[in-house]
């Protein structure tokens, strides 16, 4: 019996939803796309949603819609998946990093502002904060910095559908709801909360950006009579700019709709699992625990330990497959070639030296979790003898 760090959950209802779409007239751009977009926007609390091929395509479309170019300078966090930085590179822009806050593992707002003011006025174009592990970035604070320096915000919410922070008025602000960020993105990769195999979503409250994204998602081609320069008849279409094929197929949107009905139940299970880990390790001085709060979506449950490699290997020998999120992006050979170097972001690098993502997914049974906890405790006890 293997216990991975993350795992999708596919029910008979999911299978039936996909099969019925396979038997319908549409494999790709049918009615399920708009239905998924509307239901997802409703769940997240945004005005608009655009379904796309995957989370990386979502990020790329966002940077295109915000006109990132080889003159653009954009800031993200070093503790994230590569795509959060790569989407800037796809448009030729320069990637800058601001170090993480060692308590939250999220981009540090003070370091962010220090970086911005270290460059001439107007140097930076935007910020890509990440709701890392499911912990919501305080976008109200990021927005106030962004407004001061005239920057846009793309929120990478891949880890946090259903997560939220409490704003200065005491309101819950759900990740991706568009209240503070210009655009937000999600992924439906199997390890994420909503699993479609491949798939992604962009959410926004901005109508112009929404319409631009629809155009860019499908080759920059429009059939909308209001947008056409000429009109030669019912078959006529025009290509207005260089877009891509970043569409999400109907059958995967049908799966997404079915998965979405269980999103809240899944989130509740994740919080229960996190609580059980916290309770199990709270008195253990060898384990640094993540902060537990209700707005945390717990995509990942990350502990920090001194003997991380040994613990990782020990758990693997017991068929428990933990993971490390992430090797800091600025230390990747590709980013080092662009001029970033080890030592640039000490908090991120220190965090990386100790972090370990424990099994966390809604179908993890309590027996499995107890086995994981016992293995970790046994390892740590033996270490101390
Ligand atoms: C998964 C993920 C992505 C990319 O999503 P894909 O659907 O795999 O392309 C981007 N950013 C973060 C933080 C992610 O976890």
């Amino acid at each position: 019996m293997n216990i991975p760090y993350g795992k999708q959950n596919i029910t008979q209802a999911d299978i039936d939803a996909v099969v019925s779409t396979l038997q319908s007239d549409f494999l790709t751009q049918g009615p399920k796309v708009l239905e998924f977009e509307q239901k997802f926007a409703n769940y997240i609390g945004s005005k608009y949603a655009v379904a796309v091929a995957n989370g990386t395509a979502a990020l790329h479309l966002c940077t295109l819609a915000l006109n990132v170019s080889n003159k653009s300078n954009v800031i993200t966090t070093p503790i994230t998946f590569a795509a959060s930085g790569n989407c800037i590179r796809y448009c030729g822009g320069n990637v800058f990093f601001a170090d993480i806050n060692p308590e939250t593992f999220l981009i540090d707002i003070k370091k962010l502002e220090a970086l911005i003011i270290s460059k001439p006025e107007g140097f930076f174009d935007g910020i890509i904060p990440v709701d890392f592990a499911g912990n919501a970035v305080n976008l109200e604070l990021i927005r106030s910095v962004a407004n001061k320096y005239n920057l846009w915000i793309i929120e990478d919410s891949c880890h946090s559908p259903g997560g939220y922070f409490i704003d200065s008025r005491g309101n819950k602000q759900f990740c991706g709801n568009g209240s503070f960020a210009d655009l937000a993105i999600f992924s439906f990769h199997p390890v994420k909360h909503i699993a479609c195999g491949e798939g992604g979503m962009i959410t926004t409250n901005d109508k112009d950006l929404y319409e631009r994204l629809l155009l860019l998602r499908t080759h920059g081609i429009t059939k909308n009579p209001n947008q056409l320069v000429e009109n030669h008849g019912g078959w006529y279409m025009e290509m207005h700019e260089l877009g891509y094929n970043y569409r999400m197929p109907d059958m995967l949107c049908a799966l997404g709709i079915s998965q979405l009905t269980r999103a809240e139940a899944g989130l509740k299970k994740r919080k229960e699992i996190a609580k059980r880990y916290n309770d199990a390790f709270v008195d253990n001085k060898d384990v640094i625990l993540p902060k537990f709060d209700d707005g945390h979506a717990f995509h990942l449950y990350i502990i920090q330990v001194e003997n991380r490699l040994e613990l990782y290997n020990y758990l693997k020998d017991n068929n428990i497959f933990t993971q490390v999120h992430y090797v800091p992006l600025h230390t990747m050979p590709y980013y080092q070639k662009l001029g970033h170097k080890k030592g640039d972001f000490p908090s991120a690098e220190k965090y990386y030296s100790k972090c370990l993502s424990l099994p966390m997914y809604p179908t993890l049974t309590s027996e499995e979790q107890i086995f994981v906890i016992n293995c970790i405790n046994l390892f740590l006890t033996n270490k101390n003898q």
Side-chain angles (χ1 to χ4, degrees), residues 160-362:
S160 63
Y164 62 86
F165 71 93
I166 305 285
D167 71 12
S168 58
R169 295 175 177 181
N171 295 321
K172 286 183 185 176
Q173 294 288 350
F174 286 90
C175 297
N177 72 2
S179 296
F180 300 102
D182 298 275
L183 297 161
I185 70 110
F186 296 87
S187 162
F188 308 126
H189 180 276
V191 298
K192 307 292 161 73
H193 291 205
I194 295 164
C196 298
E198 298 285 355
M201 195 72 84
I202 305 166
T203 56
T204 183
N205 290 346
D206 185 316
K207 188 154 186 281
D208 292 338
L209 285 174
Y210 169 65
E211 287 176 352
R212 182 103 191 272
L213 290 167
L214 293 179
L215 198 64
L216 288 166
R217 173 176 68 179
T218 180
H219 308 283
I221 289 175
T222 181
K223 280 181 155 186
N224 181 343
N226 302 323
Q227 293 174 338
L228 296 175
V229 177
E230 299 180 22
N231 195 343
H232 305 172
W235 44 268
Y236 187 71
M237 59 178 82
E238 280 172 354
M239 189 190 128
H240 282 213
E241 58 179 314
L242 188 63
Y244 293 79
N245 175 357
Y246 279 166
R247 298 183 298 253
M248 185 172 178
D250 229 43
M251 45 192 172
L252 295 186
C253 288
L255 179 54
I257 293 164
S258 183
Q259 290 259 317
L260 192 57
T261 62
R262 297 196 307 280
E264 273 309 296
L267 203 56
K268 194 162 161 270
K269 279 304 285 271
R270 285 174 184 275
K271 287 180 196 176
E272 283 166 19
I273 291 166
K275 178 93 178 32
R276 231 180 279 143
Y277 278 135
N278 268 37
D279 291 347
F281 299 124
V282 71
D283 295 324
N284 195 327
K285 59 174 177 25
D286 296 323
V287 186
I288 301 176
L289 297 178
K291 289 233 156 53
F292 187 91
D293 79 80
D294 193 56
H296 200 307
F298 282 107
H299 170 57
L300 301 171
Y301 186 90
I302 302 171
I303 60 169
Q304 293 173 80
V305 287
E306 288 299 333
N307 307 296
R308 191 260 312 271
L309 177 60
E310 282 171 82
L311 176 58
Y312 171 90
N313 286 333
Y314 177 82
L315 293 173
K316 199 166 125 198
D317 292 341
N318 284 283
N319 296 321
I320 299 165
F321 297 88
T322 59
Q323 187 52 281
V324 166
H325 298 89
Y326 290 96
V327 179
L329 196 49
H330 69 283
T331 68
M332 291 288 175
Y334 172 79
Y335 280 96
Q336 292 210 42
K337 268 186 231 146
L338 294 175
H340 299 282
K341 19 177 228 312
K342 279 192 184 165
D344 282 353
F345 305 104
S347 297
E349 290 167 42
K350 184 162 181 237
Y351 158 81
Y352 166 64
S353 71
K354 297 182 187 177
C355 67
L356 193 67
S357 303
L358 303 185
M360 168 56 86
Y361 47 91

